[in-house]
Amino acid sequence: MAQGMLRKSSRSLLLLAALLLLAACNPLSAQDSKPAADTDAGNSAVSPVPATEDAAAGATSPAASAAQSADTGSDAPVSSPSAAAESESDAPAPTTKAATPAADAPDASAASSKSSSTASPAPAAAATTTAAPVQVVPLAPGAVAEDDINPNGACKDAIASQCQDVEQGDSQVADCLSQVAQAAEFAEDASAKPLPDDCYEEVMAFKISRNSNINKNLPLAKACASDADKYCKDLQWYSGYRNGSVIACLREVKDKLQAGCRKEVFKVQLDAAFDYRADKMLHEACEKDAEALCKGVKNGGGRIQACLRQQRMKLANWDCEYQLFRKELEDADDLRLSVRMFHACLADKQQFCDDVPAGRAMAKQCLEEHRDELSEGCRDEIDSMIERRVRDFRLDSRLKKACERDISNMCAWGGDMATMDTYDSMVMNCLQDFREEIKSESCKAQVHKYVELAAQDIRFDVPLADACYNDRTTLCANVPPGSARVIRCLQSQRVKLSVVCRATLFNEEARFSENIDFQYPMKQACLREMDRYCKDVPHGQARVIRCLQARKSDKEFGKVCRLEVERFERETAKDYRLNYRLYNACKGDIGATCKNACELKEGEICGGKVLACLVENKAAVKSEACRKEVFYLEKMEVNDFRIDMALAEACRGDVDKHCKEVQPGEGRVHKCLRDNSEQLSHACKREEMRMEIKEADNVQLNVGLLRACANERSLFCHSVAPGSARVFRCLAENMASADFGTSCQVSVMRKLRRREANWRLDPPLRQACKADVDRWVCSCSG
């Protein structure tokens, strides 16, 4: 046994002597010998492949030349993924603190990876040796792996001053320089100096080249080899290989990737988010459009992408629009990939969303929830994001996920999600139009949020923004968006609007009438009143709005809120379709009784004609719900003369002449007009008499009498049902009582005198004598 061990030792010594002799004749670095030792293990996985046409073309580009200069000093061909991994782990690259001459290196492997201006000249054989291409990912052509930026190129001084502690290799120095560029770009660090232009371009050339082929990015290729095979193997079958297509495929399925691969893909996404040229497919598609539309716009900082998106309608290349959308879709979930938003909102995130992760759309959602509290720059970026989201629901991953089934069931005509055109707003419009039919509660909540936003800002209402683009430019050019200002500007100039704008505006007004959440100015003005009077009233079906209407006369009700409620009432009085509760309660009765009251034309409002028809024919109304809504409308009319469109139009001049100083509400203008009845125009006198007759039928419609006789009614007539002047008769019969108040006596006496002067103000008499009046004295005035 000892002899056998001796023989083995002798053979080992002979082999070692032979190797030393060979090394003396042809010196090699430690890295040179490794691929030979691992040949058997590496060949079974991937073997060296000849340089392809793509690789050759890349070598002549600016990016490839920068990458070549970085690899000039390397004479260690990598023959397989396993050899590459071993080489990377066993031979760490030198730091960039100081380029050490090869003679001073502690071992040969540490000095052989990169060249430097201070390094000793490499042997002639090493200087001419070129690294062999590798094909870690078989779906992409073989390529020479690019390790890091050339430390002795245009960035030499920047590396020495900004990245001196960063080790060369795995793009670490290039990444450090990118971070320096971003810090200077967004002024995160006052001491950060911007990279010289030639250095920045060299960094980008390295990144562009490295991201053009996954096999050039060795850490990415190794981390994602199995994922690429799993998710991208059909790539060539569908569309053939294109520069960067494997990396693009991995970006599209990033949520399914293994952790190591996802991390490397995210690095690539960050590069492209800062400078579009780092995304090979986006750069190729948009280069000409960028030159034409964004001339003078500096590269970096996400500026070119922003410029191209702003001028989307002018893009000459459809593929550029597609790639822009694809890029935005891939980056939509992570705040860090929205470069301009990330830096504009950094302080806001720390203030409002400090513990919220940047990914999975969580940070963006948090910022959106605090939208009204954000700094101006951050708010602008969030608004821009929302404006793009409403153009295509796929940019909001939360809505996309929550509504997938409802979209399939209700909006399938919009097409398959994966095959829709870019920026397709049809699905979002469909979800909003049919939100009551949505089954998923989470989807309904997401859609509700977008209707809220549309009601607040015209930019977030695609149909209205598109239909009224020219009208807004002409009539509301100086009105800033937000707080429903533009929508109100358009409402105030309705008669001047184009037909399509007027029709779309009306449709949106009808849609917004359903919920206090869609009445942004009123909701903001009435937050205190909602909490005080309507806290337990559910939103939707205009319930909170009705609650506010019912309490608006309370002494504690705020003036600003009351003005908003009254404005809403006046708007809904213009057309029955804007009164959500009445419209839904009276659909059948309108069709049966008032179908000819208004000729419905696109963009035209009925001007209160249908509402007046319902009031005049309330006895024919069959639906109990409709009768209640009609009666509520009457109460609004007697309270505020402006709600009755016919009376308001007929009496406009009379009000200006006789009641200009009288504040509308609580029946005050009606009283003023009646006090000046002898001086009123014929049309106004006729309409005011019609209103007074209506009040005579039900004490609940007589605002002044109700207010003056509230205690007396409770004391003497609490069991008397309203209608047919029964409560008024009860009050008149008890007027002599000692407990009857003076103010109520005055109001009752005034009403009695009015009844004596006009028989039509006495409901029992009017009903009893109606046939005789119609037959004999229909032409009489009183």
Side-chain angles (χ1 to χ4, degrees), residues 498-733:
S498 63
V499 173
V500 65
C501 176
R502 195 161 58 237
T504 307
L505 175 63
F506 180 84
N507 291 340
E508 296 302 90
E509 289 174 300
R511 189 153 64 107
F512 298 155
S513 67
E514 183 265 338
N515 200 311
I516 185 69
D517 294 338
F518 309 152
Q519 298 293 326
Y520 181 80
M522 179 162 61
K523 183 179 180 181
Q524 291 301 111
C526 297
L527 289 174
R528 184 179 69 87
E529 287 73 17
M530 287 168 60
D531 184 64
R532 180 168 188 167
Y533 300 111
C534 316
K535 192 172 185 178
D536 298 323
V537 178
H539 292 210
Q541 299 180 18
R543 287 181 289 239
V544 174
I545 296 174
R546 177 57 55 85
C547 171
L548 293 171
Q549 289 175 304
R551 306 302 296 267
K552 69 179 181 182
S553 296
D554 286 15
K555 290 182 179 179
E556 300 299 322
F557 205 90
K559 180 181 179 181
V560 177
C561 179
R562 184 173 64 252
L563 290 174
E564 283 295 333
V565 173
E566 290 174 351
R567 183 189 185 281
F568 176 82
E569 290 176 337
R570 293 196 301 275
E571 290 297 319
T572 59
K574 294 176 181 177
D575 195 293
Y576 71 100
R577 292 166 292 179
L578 299 178
N579 186 328
Y580 177 85
R581 294 176 67 90
L582 183 142
Y583 174 64
N584 283 277
C586 298
K587 282 181 181 178
D589 289 292
I590 290 171
T593 308
C594 304
K595 62 182 178 181
N596 297 320
C598 176
E599 184 180 356
L600 300 179
K601 295 181 180 179
E602 188 177 28
E604 298 294 332
I605 60 174
C606 287
K609 294 176 183 176
V610 173
L611 296 174
C613 172
L614 285 171
V615 171
E616 290 171 9
N617 296 279
K618 59 186 176 184
V621 172
K622 296 180 180 180
S623 165
E624 179 63 25
C626 182
R627 281 197 293 271
K628 288 182 178 178
E629 290 302 323
V630 171
F631 182 67
Y632 196 88
L633 172 66
E634 290 182 291
K635 288 201 292 183
M636 289 196 298
E637 289 176 339
V638 298
N639 185 67
D640 190 333
F641 82 101
R642 296 169 295 182
I643 302 299
D644 187 322
M645 298 296 292
L647 186 147
E649 182 62 29
C651 296
R652 181 176 294 142
D654 299 274
V655 171
D656 288 342
K657 185 176 181 181
H658 304 293
C659 311
K660 192 173 183 178
E661 303 301 322
V662 178
Q663 183 182 355
E666 298 183 351
R668 286 183 287 265
V669 173
H670 287 307
K671 181 179 182 302
C672 173
L673 290 171
R674 290 165 196 172
D675 290 344
N676 292 277
S677 60
E678 296 302 319
Q679 304 172 56
L680 298 181
S681 64
H682 177 72
C684 180
K685 186 182 291 187
R686 183 182 67 247
E687 289 298 326
E688 195 55 55
M689 176 54 65
R690 177 179 61 81
M691 181 63 67
E692 193 170 6
I693 291 171
K694 189 178 354 182
E695 290 178 18
D697 285 340
N698 194 320
V699 71
Q700 290 178 291
L701 297 179
N702 194 319
V703 182
L705 190 68
L706 273 179
R707 187 169 56 252
C709 299
N711 293 331
E712 288 76 8
R713 183 186 177 190
S714 175
L715 182 63
F716 299 106
C717 312
H718 65 275
S719 61
V720 179
S724 299
R726 286 186 291 267
V727 174
F728 177 76
R729 182 173 294 179
C730 171
L731 290 170
E733 289 171 353

Side-chain angles (χ1 to χ4, degrees), residues 689 693 696-697 755 758-763 765-766 780-782:
M689 176 54 65
I693 291 171
D697 285 340
R755 290 176 67 167
N758 193 318
W759 61 274
R760 287 173 294 185
L761 298 179
D762 186 334
L765 178 65
R766 187 174 72 244
C780 297
S781 60

Side-chain angles (χ1 to χ4, degrees), residues 87-381:
S87 173
E88 183 178 332
S89 61
D90 291 348
T95 67
T96 57
K97 266 191 175 181
T100 310
D104 297 332
D107 58 52
S109 62
S112 63
S113 61
K114 299 289 171 187
S115 64
S116 119
S117 58
T118 58
S120 301
T128 57
T129 302
T130 304
V134 292
Q135 197 171 17
V136 179
V137 176
L139 295 173
V144 176
E146 299 180 0
D147 197 35
D148 212 333
I149 192 170
N150 181 5
N152 300 304
C155 294
K156 180 180 177 181
D157 292 340
I159 293 171
S161 61
Q162 304 278 4
C163 304
Q164 66 270 28
D165 294 325
V166 179
E167 291 189 354
Q168 189 84 12
D170 285 348
S171 187
Q172 292 183 102
V173 175
D175 291 342
C176 170
L177 292 171
S178 294
Q179 291 169 11
V180 170
Q182 291 191 37
E185 170 76 31
F186 297 103
E188 291 174 12
D189 184 354
S191 64
K193 297 179 180 178
L195 294 179
D197 289 345
D198 57 347
C199 174
Y200 177 75
E201 289 303 316
E202 191 167 295
V203 172
M204 284 313 304
F206 169 76
K207 300 264 188 181
I208 293 167
S209 178
R210 203 167 189 244
N211 295 341
S212 67
N213 184 334
I214 190 171
N215 285 319
K216 290 185 177 184
N217 189 330
L218 200 55
L220 176 66
K222 289 190 297 183
C224 297
S226 60
D227 284 315
D229 182 64
K230 184 176 181 180
Y231 298 112
C232 308
K233 59 186 176 183
D234 294 329
L235 187 69
Q236 293 185 357
W237 188 86
Y238 283 118
S239 58
Y241 177 80
R242 288 177 59 187
N243 285 340
S245 58
V246 177
I247 297 177
C249 168
L250 292 171
R251 287 196 304 260
E252 290 176 7
V253 295
K254 61 182 181 294
D255 293 334
K256 301 177 183 179
L257 303 176
Q258 300 175 67
C261 179
R262 188 164 59 246
K263 180 180 177 182
E264 293 298 328
V265 168
F266 184 78
K267 290 180 181 178
V268 173
Q269 288 183 283
L270 275 177
D271 291 339
F274 189 74
D275 194 315
Y276 88 112
R277 297 175 296 173
D279 185 319
K280 186 70 175 178
M281 299 177 75
L282 177 63
H283 182 214
E284 287 180 352
C286 295
E287 187 173 13
K288 290 183 179 178
D289 280 308
E291 290 174 356
L293 301 173
C294 306
K295 191 174 182 180
V297 178
K298 187 179 179 182
N299 285 313
R303 281 182 289 268
I304 299 294
Q305 297 98 307
C307 169
L308 291 170
R309 288 191 190 110
Q310 288 171 0
Q311 306 199 61
R312 182 173 62 86
M313 301 304 293
K314 298 179 182 179
L315 296 176
N317 185 359
W318 183 89
D319 192 36
C320 177
E321 181 175 351
Y322 171 77
Q323 292 296 337
L324 273 174
F325 179 77
R326 184 267 306 163
K327 173 65 177 162
E328 187 169 15
L329 192 59
E330 290 173 0
D331 296 349
D333 283 356
D334 201 304
L335 178 63
R336 294 165 296 181
L337 295 176
S338 300
V339 177
R340 303 192 69 77
M341 182 188 297
F342 176 75
H343 291 281
C345 297
L346 198 56
D348 299 89
K349 183 183 184 302
Q350 290 171 348
Q351 181 179 355
F352 302 113
C353 316
D354 196 31
D355 297 329
V356 180
R360 301 197 303 279
M362 296 175 70
K364 288 185 176 181
Q365 181 184 1
C366 176
L367 289 169
E368 193 176 337
E369 289 169 356
H370 292 276
R371 182 168 162 264
D372 292 334
E373 306 166 73
L374 301 177
S375 62
E376 184 178 356
C378 182
R379 170 75 177 263
D380 289 344
E381 289 293 331

Side-chain angles (χ1 to χ4, degrees), residues 19 22-23 26-39 75-77 79 83 86-87 108-109 112:
L19 287 172
L22 180 62
N26 185 18
L28 290 171
S29 70
Q31 277 188 327
D32 290 325
S33 63
K34 278 190 177 178
D38 293 337
T39 298
D75 57 353
S79 60
E86 188 177 348
S87 173
S109 62
S112 63

